[in-house]
Amino acid sequence: MARLTEMERYLFDLNGYIVLRNALSPDEYASCDATLDDLADCSPGEWRGHVHGHNFVASHEGLNLQQIYEAGPAFSCLIDHESWIEKVIELIGTDEPGNFDGHHGPCFIDENFASIRGQGQAIGLHSGGQDRVTRCQFRYHDGRFHCGQINILMAFRDIGPGDGATMVIPGSHKSNILHPEFARAAMSDVSTSVDGITGAVEVHLNAGDAILFVDAIMHGSAARTNPGQRRIAVYRYGPSWGYFRHPYAPSAALLDTLTPRQRQIVMPHKAPLKPDA
């Protein structure tokens, strides 16, 4: 399993993100894409097994499929994928023996979802170094990273110009000042995108590529202008003592299929008590 190279460490520290080319094999991303074919007609609020159709803010952001690691082996195998898991653990800072943040496991996924967006859909700007949310923290101390959350965004189809690419503002994970144009592009219940925002860049991906980024970086997406769909998934990793962002938990059926390490990553804590316990 690949750890960060010296260049990756430098570029991540400098920009707040790195691109992992060919993180998924053609078979892997094709399997994920095919699985999404069966979920693409899921309605907001609908459950498909243990996958939940959820719109975080509004329909202009597209379909958000929460708990996507419940969708079968194509997605559960991504929990500790060799292309990124050691890099993630190093950036969270839990790779050192005896580190308190790793007492319950190497890391924890507090949210995982797939996103399907069509023409005209986008998500507005959010996060940034000045954000007071605990998980939106970037820290480097005594030669080591200690990040509150590291995200892996993986592409199942090519994402180029006009495809609604993820947009980031490089270096904004260290910013102490709110972007002067933030209000114009911020996530909202009306349609917004990051197009035209000063300093923002599109991150174009081929199918199988992934973006590794600290949640503290200011990010969102361009509006999709091309026909077709943008299909991606995001797994959010943090310290092992974290808990679920939304009121979900992995199913017993999923846990039974996972390796011991994968179980530590998706459920490092004791299961919640039953109401009648």
Side-chain angles (χ1 to χ4, degrees):
M1 293 188 179
R3 290 177 60 87
L4 291 164
T5 67
E6 285 305 304
M7 184 57 71
E8 286 174 333
R9 295 180 86 248
Y10 173 76
L11 292 175
F12 176 83
D13 181 61
L14 179 69
N15 295 320
Y17 76 100
I18 54 176
V19 176
L20 307 177
R21 299 294 180 191
N22 302 308
L24 300 179
S25 71
D27 284 345
E28 287 175 323
Y29 66 73
S31 238
C32 290
D33 194 47
T35 301
L36 292 184
D37 285 341
D38 296 328
L39 295 168
D41 61 347
C42 187
S43 301
E46 180 184 355
W47 286 92
R48 295 285 182 89
H50 296 285
V51 176
H52 187 221
H54 172 70
N55 280 325
F56 184 59
V57 174
S59 59
H60 61 261
E61 294 179 355
L63 177 62
N64 185 303
L65 295 162
Q66 289 282 347
Q67 295 295 91
I68 195 63
Y69 57 28
E70 298 271 9
F75 283 95
S76 62
C77 73
L78 305 178
I79 290 167
D80 59 347
H81 198 281
E82 63 181 3
S83 289
W84 59 73
I85 192 63
E86 294 304 326
K87 300 176 193 289
V88 165
I89 291 169
E90 181 179 348
L91 291 170
I92 294 169
T94 51
D95 58 326
E96 188 176 30
N99 185 314
F100 173 82
D101 287 345
H103 277 187
H104 307 290
C107 56
F108 169 60
I109 296 176
D110 84 339
E111 182 182 15
N112 64 104
F113 62 91
S115 170
I116 300 176
R117 290 200 193 118
Q119 198 168 28
Q121 294 180 324
I123 191 169
L125 200 59
H126 51 288
S127 296
Q130 81 296 326
D131 200 313
R132 293 183 179 88
V133 178
T134 303
R135 67 186 177 85
C136 296
Q137 302 299 313
F138 171 85
R139 179 170 170 77
Y140 186 86
H141 177 71
D142 195 24
R144 298 181 62 81
F145 290 101
H146 304 277
C147 298
Q149 187 170 90
I150 297 295
N151 299 328
I152 299 292
L153 183 155
M154 57 210 87
F156 306 134
R157 297 181 177 182
D158 293 347
I159 303 174
D163 289 332
T166 298
M167 296 188 71
V168 297
I169 301 180
S172 58
H173 60 304
K174 298 181 180 180
S175 174
N176 297 302
I177 299 169
L178 183 66
H179 195 298
E181 298 166 358
F182 179 76
R184 175 159 65 87
M187 287 176 63
S188 169
D189 57 2
V190 297
S191 183
T192 56
S193 73
V194 192
D195 294 293
I197 295 300
T198 302
V201 298
E202 291 192 21
V203 183
H204 296 153
L205 304 172
N206 296 321
D209 293 344
I211 313 171
L212 179 158
F213 62 101
V214 64
D215 203 59
I217 195 172
M218 196 166 281
H219 59 282
S221 83
R224 185 177 180 98
T225 57
N226 293 338
Q229 293 179 331
R230 170 189 182 265
R231 293 188 176 189
I232 59 100
V234 176
Y235 285 33
R236 303 184 186 275
Y237 298 84
S240 68
W241 46 258
Y243 206 66
F244 302 98
R245 180 183 181 195
H246 298 298
Y248 304 122
S251 68
L254 173 67
L255 294 173
D256 286 345
T257 68
L258 301 182
T259 67
R261 191 188 200 203
Q262 289 172 333
R263 285 197 296 272
Q264 277 191 311
I265 293 172
V266 304
M267 196 71 177
H269 20 56
K270 293 180 180 178
L273 294 175
K274 295 180 180 178
D276 58 348

